Amino acid sequence: DTAVSQTPKYLVTQMGNDKSIKCEQNLGHDTMYWYKQDSKKFLKIMFSYNNKELIINETVPNRFSPKSPDKAHLNLHINSLELGDSAVYFCASSQAGGRPGELFFGEGSRLTVL
Amino acid sequence: KQEVTQIPAALSVPEGENLVLNCSFTDSAIYNLQWFRQDPGKGLTSLLLIQSSQREQTSGRLNASLDKSSGRSTLYIAASQPGDSATYLCAAGGTSYGKLTFGQGTILTVHP
């Protein structure tokens, strides 16, 4: 069973479009994250949700809107896509209350904006 | 602001060698230090997690150490195998919810 699953795995779209990436975890964790890996393979946190509450919003443009309908799901919606949004987006989850425990990552969603 | 640096950026070794990957961080007020493995086109697999109160963790042929005062962690891989070829990432866990600061990674190639 996949612990953290993301869909879609690949996404190719035109500039200006709106797209969503979905994430689900079956680990029973209470905290979920979105990380972005750029073309230089550098990983940076974007958002963190704890029990459906937004905890971290790391200076991400407001075109990016995360939504957590429940503890097991964290979706990422991106409006008005730009070329610079091309990257691999990773969802992750952990269970350690308010402190960072061991993070488990999904396989990533590769977004290409043309 | 936490910054994490990994040395070397790339490493190529023959099978069977013992090797050390280095990770340094600028802010010693970390909660934990985590080592990951990333295979091409794949997600990150957690290898070892060292809490700030610990000095080292071991899993099979892997051993990770943590020296908070000097801002360093090392990942030791014993008897390397071609299957160990991957990018190895270290990440420092801060006091905020799950905010890991990642290094840029070490690309390891183990050739037969």
Side-chain angles (χ1 to χ4, degrees), chain A:
Chain A
D1 281 346
T2 303
V4 182
S5 58
Q6 301 177 224
T7 54
K9 190 169 182 179
Y10 299 97
L11 190 53
V12 181
T13 189
Q14 300 286 333
M15 267 197 320
N17 285 349
D18 303 337
K19 290 293 177 187
S20 293
I21 307 171
K22 296 185 177 181
C23 178
E24 175 181 4
Q25 54 95 3
N26 62 7
L27 297 167
H29 290 167
D30 62 2
T31 307
M32 295 185 72
Y33 316 84
W34 279 109
Y35 278 80
K36 179 180 179 180
Q37 189 171 42
D38 60 25
S39 56
K40 296 183 179 179
K41 307 296 185 186
F42 202 63
L43 266 159
K44 281 193 69 175
I45 191 168
M46 299 174 68
F47 301 103
S48 170
Y49 268 76
N50 177 259
N51 284 317
K52 302 192 299 175
E53 183 182 348
L54 178 65
I55 300 299
I56 294 175
N57 181 340
E58 196 71 6
T59 61
V60 177
N62 58 16
R63 297 183 296 104
F64 291 77
S65 52
K67 283 191 171 51
S68 181
D70 54 59
K71 281 195 333 181
H73 296 84
L74 179 62
N75 304 324
L76 182 65
H77 187 76
I78 315 171
N79 289 327
S80 303
L81 279 156
E82 301 177 356
L83 293 176
D85 297 332
S86 295
V88 182
Y89 293 84
F90 287 98
C91 178
S93 71
S94 70
Q95 180 69 44
R99 294 300 183 108
E102 187 174 13
L103 263 67
F104 294 84
F105 281 78
E107 294 219 330
S109 296
R110 181 176 294 276
L111 171 65
T112 303
V113 182
L114 303 175

Side-chain angles (χ1 to χ4, degrees), chain B residues 52-70:
Chain B
S52 61
S53 57
Q54 298 174 320
R55 295 300 297 260
E56 66 177 342
Q57 282 287 324
T58 298
S59 176
R61 295 182 293 107
L62 305 179
N63 174 276
S65 66
L66 175 63
D67 184 343
K68 272 185 57 175
S69 60
S70 67

